[in-house]
Amino acid sequence: MIVSMVTLAVGAELALAGAAATAIPIAIHLLSRHRRTPRLWGAMRFVLEAYRKHKHRLQLERWLLLAVRCLILIVLGLALWDPGFKAVASALGMAGQDRLLCLVIDDALSTRAAVQDMDGQTTRFEQLRARSIKMVAALHGTDRVAIWRSARPAGEVRVPAVFDRDAAIKALESMRPRHARPQIEQALQRVERYLDQAKDTPPRERVLLAVVSDLGPMSLDEAGVGALKSLSEKARVLLTPPPAGAVNTQVRSLETSNHLLVAGPGRGVSMDARATLRRFGEASTESSGLLRLEARLLPNGKPLATLSRPYRFAVGQSETAVNAQLPVTPGALAEVPDAGGMLEVVATIPGDTLEADNIARAVLELRRHVRVALVAGAGSPGVLDGAKWLTLALQPDSDERNPLLDVRRVAGASLDSGTLTGIDVVCVTEPNTVTDQGWESLARFTKNGGVLWVFPPSATSPSTWAGQYARALALPWEVALESQSHEDGGDWVVTTDPAATPVPEELGALAGDWQALLSPLRVSRRLNLSSTGPDARVWMSVEADGGARPWVVGQKVGHGYTLLSLSALDVAWSNLTTKPVFVPLLHEAVSSLLNRSVVGNRDVSATSGDGVELGGAWLGVESLKAVGGDETLWLVRTPEGGVRVREAVDEPGVYLPLATGGLSLTVSVDADAGDTRTLSREEVERRLSPVADWRWVDTDATDPFAEAQTAGLGLRMGWPLLWLTLALVLLETLLAKWFSHARDPNRPSIRASIWRVLHGGGE
């Protein structure tokens, strides 16, 4: 491996300085040996005799003292050359042997942002991946690497750790950025579990945790910092520096007023759409653009209608909205079959830094008519029973050739799943004729997204149908077996006080006239509902027994909804059928509840990264295909008997079954993950202040881990060598004293001095 030139240059300077300093004691030694002219005198005879006797010992002492003094300077120079030791050890493949690199790479939506570098235009993810590959390539033969990705849902890319660097690099090269938000804390928790469970995990000094991220605002939240703090006790933490932030404008959401459109043959439709736009990174200036709305027929994607609307962000404004009405002409709907179809509404803005969030979708179900089943008997000619009142209210225009509401009668005794196929709404006016099997069929129908409205029969005789109804739908309702009339023969008044009985959310269109519509209503006979449970909601109530008592109550059941009226559709029970509120009440309730059931069951929406649970209407569907794409989603059964997508969804788009019609899954990008701003280095350091012993990593260096290496040969020689220098200085002092052969009778010997130092006493 090529050694870092910068590191070696610094080390070379220190080494040369140490070599030069070593020459000083040698020069002093040589200079002190210059010859003098000998002059003999009598006493010198004894001195020369002693010198000749101890000559070899004295030379050995001088050379030993010289060697110690040279060694002091050499060791001191080597201690100052600690970076050079690291570089040389790395070059020789001896530094940090048996290391484990835990690599966490950010592949969230924001990493799709376009950036400009020396090679041209690329993306943040390409840069992060290149940094990751450099780190893997810098490992040695005995090092291992494991890789995790952090986009939701975080998971493993290459685990358990491998020695094969080429395989790890190929795994990185095969990665693609996702459309979800980052979940670095989840990835770090997976890393920690791996380190805890792996049997061959090295000591902390040889475990390197590298987090390669664009460090956006969502990357280092409180949970992520906590996970890093926990992991810092088991690994050396490394972070790549954040890139520069970028400006991004996105279509945050697209909403339509209805999810179900009804257009008979020869009729067009119009939909109200609201697109919400948001911008990141630049709110101090004004900006504007053009939003394009388009309606397409599914599954072929044929355009049906298109319009454009301007949008504008004022100074300091980060979010704005565009409202538009998108009409579709009858001619454009000519291809829609009688069984209905599906429309896709798409909102787009021109491309910018991050194109993946410049589009939003909404899927609407298009029907030629809504199918309503009336569970009742055949009826008598000329008699307005409950079923006829409902028929008149649901089809007030009496257009028998092309009704938008297809109303048909079904006998209660013959009610089963086959009878309810293709039905959207069931109104039961004679529940006493429904069998146990029929109630079970109605329960499945409701749980799968249907709307069920039950009315008592006109007969006043006791009946057990209410108990069958409550048991089949698992409702904690207790309905009296017998009806009751007003005690003095009068009528109960329907409550108009919104504080006692608020206007149902589903009837919001009638809220302005709600009190006026309820004022004329009078109730002569009703069933008593003594218990409703916490999930029930009272739609209408009557003033009875000193308070408001339920008269119409509803509850969500599975993906559908059920309503129970406590008075029959008979003028002997109430005057509801003869008052103006009856028709709008039925139409708004059916339309609103059917729209909600369509969204919750047949037209499912999800965000990238979600695990998607589907309703009972999806039973039998094995896979979904992306409209206009190659992506396929596979479905599996859940232990509870439901259906879910096998893996978390990511690729945005509309997914349809190959065979079953009327079902769709719309996947949108995680809009919050489109924040292309990044944290500054100072902000990152502030957030990571609780994390001990972490550092930035320079992936452009030949050895990115040079500053983090703490194990292996020559990784931290500086301090040990400094301590060795101090020991040599002490040794040189003692040897110089000893070899001087000077004796002072008033001064203790070296042995005595050492003894006193060690024992604190005398000899």
Short mmCIF file of all heavy atoms in Angstrom, two decimals, residues 170 173 199 277 392 452 679:
data_model
loop_
_atom_site.label_atom_id
_atom_site.label_comp_id
_atom_site.label_asym_id
_atom_site.label_seq_id
_atom_site.Cartn_x
_atom_site.Cartn_y
_atom_site.Cartn_z
N LYS A 170 -18.92 -4.75 -4.32
CA LYS A 170 -20.01 -5.06 -5.26
C LYS A 170 -21.37 -4.83 -4.62
O LYS A 170 -22.30 -4.35 -5.27
CB LYS A 170 -19.88 -6.50 -5.74
CG LYS A 170 -18.73 -6.74 -6.70
CD LYS A 170 -18.67 -8.19 -7.16
CE LYS A 170 -17.52 -8.42 -8.12
NZ LYS A 170 -17.43 -9.84 -8.55
N GLU A 173 -21.93 -1.17 -4.74
CA GLU A 173 -22.20 -0.72 -6.11
C GLU A 173 -23.61 -1.08 -6.55
O GLU A 173 -24.19 -0.40 -7.41
CB GLU A 173 -21.18 -1.32 -7.06
CG GLU A 173 -19.78 -0.75 -6.88
CD GLU A 173 -18.74 -1.45 -7.74
OE1 GLU A 173 -19.02 -2.57 -8.22
OE2 GLU A 173 -17.66 -0.88 -7.94
N LYS A 199 -19.88 -13.82 17.84
CA LYS A 199 -18.91 -14.48 18.72
C LYS A 199 -17.48 -14.03 18.45
O LYS A 199 -16.60 -14.20 19.29
CB LYS A 199 -19.01 -16.00 18.54
CG LYS A 199 -20.36 -16.58 18.94
CD LYS A 199 -20.39 -18.08 18.74
CE LYS A 199 -21.75 -18.66 19.14
NZ LYS A 199 -21.82 -20.13 18.94
N LEU A 277 -47.59 22.57 -1.71
CA LEU A 277 -46.19 22.61 -2.11
C LEU A 277 -45.35 23.14 -0.94
O LEU A 277 -45.82 23.94 -0.13
CB LEU A 277 -45.97 23.51 -3.33
CG LEU A 277 -46.53 22.98 -4.66
CD1 LEU A 277 -48.01 23.34 -4.81
CD2 LEU A 277 -45.76 23.56 -5.83
N LEU A 392 -87.45 5.93 -3.30
CA LEU A 392 -87.83 7.28 -3.72
C LEU A 392 -86.77 8.31 -3.32
O LEU A 392 -86.50 9.25 -4.06
CB LEU A 392 -89.18 7.66 -3.11
CG LEU A 392 -90.40 6.89 -3.64
CD1 LEU A 392 -91.64 7.26 -2.85
CD2 LEU A 392 -90.60 7.21 -5.13
N LEU A 452 -73.44 -0.53 5.73
CA LEU A 452 -74.64 -1.25 6.16
C LEU A 452 -75.49 -0.34 7.03
O LEU A 452 -75.02 0.16 8.05
CB LEU A 452 -74.24 -2.51 6.93
CG LEU A 452 -75.38 -3.29 7.59
CD1 LEU A 452 -76.33 -3.86 6.53
CD2 LEU A 452 -74.82 -4.42 8.46
N LEU A 679 -26.70 19.75 8.08
CA LEU A 679 -26.16 20.34 9.29
C LEU A 679 -24.73 20.82 9.05
O LEU A 679 -23.97 20.18 8.32
CB LEU A 679 -26.18 19.32 10.43
CG LEU A 679 -27.55 18.72 10.79
CD1 LEU A 679 -27.37 17.64 11.85
CD2 LEU A 679 -28.51 19.79 11.27
#
